[in-house]
Amino acid sequence: GEEVAQTPKHLVRGEGQKAKLYCAPIKGHSYVFWYQQVLKNEFKFLISFQNENVFDETGMPKERFSAKCLPNSPCSLEIQATKLEDSAVYFCASSRLDGGSRSSPLHFGNGTRLTVT
Amino acid sequence: TQLLEQSPQFLSIQEGENLTVYCNSSSVFSSLQWYRQEPGEGPVLLVTVVTGGEVKKLKRLTFQFGDARKDSSLHITAAQPGDTGLYLCAGPPNAGGTSYGKLTFGQGTILTVHP
């Protein structure tokens, strides 16, 4: 597709429940990035993929967060045993090459708003 | 850790006024990007500045990258209600071999333009 598609748009989970978010990158884009936007609009990098391989996972909380990008499937971000502080908007972005450059910008989806109650 | 400080955090102006948003760091960035984000949507890239001292214009928006590549500004002339949104600056890490998509974002400037 021509846009990064994220589902669901909204997700509500009770504390301790699992949450799974999906992202379909733009066709032909090799890189996928996950960001978390919390209060005061702060964006935090979580993880990036080059095709199905983890490229950089230095932003991922190790204990409860995991992510995958499998061939012919949407990418996913899973949070086991959600906590109140996980409430945020999770954005997926894709780029043709390793993004952040003029020749290969990041294209963001519209995000999934996760509310943990 | 590279940090980007944006100011002001909030800006409320009348249609037709001019404004400037600043993005400052103590670190050198190889490039800086400016995004605009509307409620319920993801950030949309406006411009990337790469060369120190670079000035780029996008209709009524003028972007500058500081000579030392530590700061940038966004100037909007004759603001319109359609300019309302969250403006974010962002930059990639400088260390070689790391992901350029791993952006550091500023805190954002919420701009409201009243008709």
Side-chain angles (χ1 to χ4, degrees):
Chain A
E2 293 295 317
E3 293 181 342
V4 175
Q6 287 190 249
T7 55
K9 196 172 175 67
H10 300 279
L11 191 58
V12 179
R13 287 289 180 265
E15 204 170 4
Q17 291 185 318
K18 184 174 76 175
K20 196 163 185 178
L21 291 60
Y22 297 92
C23 167
I26 292 173
K27 191 177 178 181
H29 283 194
S30 303
Y31 288 82
V32 170
F33 306 83
W34 284 99
Y35 281 85
Q36 180 194 54
Q37 186 178 29
V38 293
L39 290 174
K40 295 187 179 180
N41 304 311
E42 179 190 337
F43 271 85
K44 181 190 170 191
F45 168 82
L46 295 176
I47 190 169
S48 60
F49 287 85
Q50 181 185 14
N51 297 312
E52 61 266 27
N53 304 307
V54 174
F55 193 64
D56 186 329
E57 59 181 346
T58 51
M60 281 285 269
K62 296 291 185 195
E63 290 178 351
R64 299 176 296 106
F65 285 59
S66 63
K68 292 179 187 176
C69 275
L70 300 175
N72 304 314
S73 296
C75 296
S76 63
L77 176 68
E78 189 168 326
I79 309 173
Q80 301 285 344
T82 53
K83 296 184 177 181
L84 294 177
E85 63 257 32
D86 298 332
S87 293
V89 182
Y90 291 83
F91 284 98
C92 174
S94 71
S95 68
R96 189 172 54 85
L97 304 173
D98 184 4
S101 69
R102 216 173 355 201
S103 60
S104 185
L106 295 187
H107 296 263
F108 284 84
N110 286 335
T112 292
R113 179 175 294 278
L114 172 66
T115 303
V116 180
T117 60
Chain B
T1 303
Q2 296 174 294
L3 293 175
L4 283 168
E5 298 283 338
Q6 262 187 262
S7 62
Q9 284 191 47
F10 301 94
L11 204 48
S12 180
I13 61 172
Q14 293 297 126
E15 184 175 2
E17 291 183 6
N18 302 332
L19 66 111
T20 303
V21 177
Y22 299 93
C23 178
N24 295 303
S25 177
S26 57
S27 305
V28 174
F29 280 86
S30 57
S31 63
L32 276 179
Q33 301 176 352
W34 285 92
Y35 289 85
R36 180 163 163 256
Q37 184 182 16
E38 296 195 50
E41 298 183 6
V44 175
L45 179 67
L46 296 172
V47 79
T48 301
V49 286
V50 178
T51 308
E54 184 175 2
V55 176
K56 277 194 167 177
K57 290 197 173 189
L58 196 67
K59 296 183 181 176
R60 293 175 294 100
L61 278 60
T62 302
F63 303 86
Q64 277 194 296
F65 200 13
D67 291 339
R69 291 186 288 129
K70 290 183 178 181
D71 56 88
S72 182
S73 65
L74 157 61
H75 182 79
I76 303 179
T77 305
Q80 297 176 0
D83 296 327
T84 293
L86 172 68
Y87 289 82
L88 295 152
C89 64
N94 266 334
T98 55
S99 167
Y100 283 91
K102 181 183 175 182
L103 298 174
T104 296
F105 280 84
Q107 315 97 306
T109 296
I110 297 175
L111 170 65
T112 305
V113 183
H114 301 279

